[in-house]
Amino acid sequence: MPYGDGTFKLDRMRELLLRLGNPQAKLPIVHVAGTKGKGSTSAMIAAVLSAAGYRTGLFSSPHLDRLEERMAVDGQPCSAAELLELVEILRPVVAQLDLAGSRRRPAETGPTYFELTTAMALLHFVRSNVQAAVLEVGLGGRLDSTNVCLPAVSVITSISFDHMRQLGNTLAAIAREKAGIIKPGVPVVSGVVDDEPRQVIEQIAWQRGSRLLQLGRDFHYQYEPPRDVGREAAQGRMSYHLSCPDRQQTYDNVSLGLLGRHQAANAATALTVLDELARQGWQISEAALRRGVAEVRWPARVEVAGRQPAVVIDAAHNVASVEALAATLAESFSARERILVFATTRDKEVPAMLRCLLPHFDHVILTQYQNNPRGVPPEELAAIAAQESAAVRVCPSPAAAWEVVRTLAGEKDLVCITGSFFIAAEMRAQIAARPLQPAQNAVLEPT
């Protein structure tokens, strides 16, 4: 739905949090926006802060299996019992808001699902006595429910095309929405490299008097990818250099817990955020930096769910993300044959996504996730793939798709599952129940 329809606005969120005691005002916050990379970057920042000894909350979205995953403290999701307590705290407050809203304007809607989960996360972090909170923006930035905070650092990881109906059809328009998280005087770290959105971010940061650190100007990285990850565990490595008029910092041979050149860019952005926190007085050692970035785990981001054959799960759901996935598979995985399992959502750039992916695979299985009605039927996906002269197999469900994979995949092959968080979650369950390789070789970690 477009931003202008009234669903997206901050007054309602501010009123909700006011009635809850303004938990966001009790937390030191890092606020992270971006088209892609914001979840991984947030996870890295949170992992380093935890490694440095700070009790750290991480609010992220979407979840794969359980809502509790969205609000974690030191890597541990909120418990089911705690979630129920949070719901009971919110219940009378939401009822009061609904009543007040209906009296002002009968058609006015109450708090949205994302506003409620944001509020629950902030309450959970306060109740858990966290010393730092990392908040990932859900959609856009300017009107996102997380944008009621006054952070220590604002972060914009990347700008590319996604959610155009809500955010706009140009990179400049999308950047303007993302840069809406920039607060007067609050430093900004940006991983954006394309000129058009970069200029927008520079302009808004200047207008708001916010110091801006940018990838490619103030900080840089070099990436060394791992090889043949499908056969044995291996991590990529990067070097990092920050060069500002008043500060120089270099880290060599940094191990990365997340795979891909795009994750090196995210890690460089995260390290710059952490350096900015150190400038503000936070105690973050080099050992904590290295440990957090090396040990972070983030499901469905080039997640290796099996070896021999290699099984990779990635929640890529826009063109930029599938391009990054394809590049990572090419440089870090060898395979005799490559098998793609793909399902996605109606509002995505499906032809462009398939155009990017199909040339890299020998077998293509198209399916539809079962737990969300917005999935594209596999027959429609097949019609799009036919325009690229691709031979495909159509399966009605992830379970059926996984059965086909089990008949196709040999020990030296690669299976890649992508297109949506929804297909990632449902295929993750299939893999856990029926792994391709003996149990002792399985590597899938629980969420």
Side-chain angles (χ1 to χ4, degrees), residues 348-403:
K348 302 303 177 182
E349 294 182 284
V350 180
M353 292 168 67
L354 286 175
R355 195 176 304 121
C356 174
L357 288 169
L358 293 175
H360 299 281
F361 292 91
D362 303 287
H363 304 277
V364 177
I365 302 166
L366 303 175
T367 188
Q368 182 177 11
Y369 42 80
Q370 306 295 291
N371 292 329
N372 188 294
R374 294 189 299 132
V376 181
E379 295 79 10
E380 291 186 24
L381 295 175
I384 296 170
Q387 298 174 14
E388 304 298 322
S389 301
V392 302
R393 301 189 188 200
V394 170
C395 293
S397 67
W402 189 239
E403 194 59 43

Side-chain angles (χ1 to χ4, degrees), residues 117-381:
T117 56
T118 303
M120 285 193 289
L122 293 168
L123 275 178
H124 177 55
F125 296 156
V126 170
R127 287 159 56 96
S128 300
N129 298 311
V130 305
Q131 298 163 294
V134 183
L135 303 185
E136 178 194 352
V137 167
L139 175 65
R142 180 176 63 93
L143 296 177
D144 187 78
S145 65
T146 60
N147 201 29
V148 293
C149 66
L150 181 62
V153 186
S154 302
V155 191
I156 303 173
T157 59
S158 70
I159 302 293
S160 57
F161 288 107
D162 199 10
H163 300 294
M164 284 88 79
R165 184 181 174 193
Q166 292 90 354
L167 305 181
N169 293 316
T170 67
L171 292 180
I174 295 171
R176 198 162 285 109
E177 292 296 336
K178 305 287 186 186
I181 71 166
I182 297 175
K183 305 297 192 302
V186 174
V188 185
V189 176
S190 172
V192 177
V193 294
D194 291 336
D195 285 342
E196 182 183 348
R198 188 170 175 140
Q199 289 173 11
V200 172
I201 293 167
E202 288 174 347
Q203 179 187 32
I204 293 175
W206 178 81
Q207 289 172 345
R208 298 181 186 175
S210 300
R211 190 163 63 89
L212 175 62
L213 300 171
Q214 299 188 83
L215 176 61
R217 186 192 72 178
D218 304 293
F219 62 98
H220 309 264
Y221 71 94
Q222 290 183 317
Y223 177 61
E224 180 184 340
R227 305 295 180 186
D228 208 8
V229 177
R231 296 189 64 80
E232 58 186 22
Q235 290 189 324
R237 296 180 180 274
M238 65 174 283
S239 60
Y240 166 84
H241 183 62
L242 172 69
S243 180
C244 298
D246 60 342
R247 192 169 179 86
Q248 304 283 322
Q249 187 63 264
T250 297
Y251 300 113
D252 293 319
N253 202 30
V254 177
S255 295
L256 302 177
L258 303 180
L259 284 170
R261 193 170 301 273
H262 58 298
Q263 294 293 8
N266 293 333
T269 302
L271 291 177
T272 307
V273 172
L274 293 155
D275 186 85
E276 178 57 39
L277 291 175
R279 289 169 61 109
Q280 297 178 21
W282 295 60
Q283 301 300 307
I284 305 169
S285 67
E286 181 177 342
L289 287 168
R290 290 181 178 274
R291 178 184 166 194
V293 173
E295 296 182 359
V296 66
R297 297 294 179 267
W298 203 229
R301 279 76 168 183
V302 196
E303 179 184 17
V304 180
R307 293 191 175 91
Q308 301 186 49
V311 179
V312 172
I313 306 172
D314 192 90
H317 55 274
N318 60 33
V319 175
S321 294
V322 297
E323 287 175 344
L325 170 62
T328 302
L329 296 179
E331 67 185 2
S332 291
F333 292 83
S334 63
R336 180 186 59 192
E337 291 193 332
R338 297 181 175 228
I339 302 164
L340 173 67
V341 179
F342 183 85
T344 195
T345 308
R346 285 198 176 278
D347 61 354
K348 302 303 177 182
E349 294 182 284
V350 180
M353 292 168 67
L354 286 175
R355 195 176 304 121
C356 174
L357 288 169
L358 293 175
H360 299 281
F361 292 91
D362 303 287
H363 304 277
V364 177
I365 302 166
L366 303 175
T367 188
Q368 182 177 11
Y369 42 80
Q370 306 295 291
N371 292 329
N372 188 294
R374 294 189 299 132
V376 181
E379 295 79 10
E380 291 186 24
L381 295 175

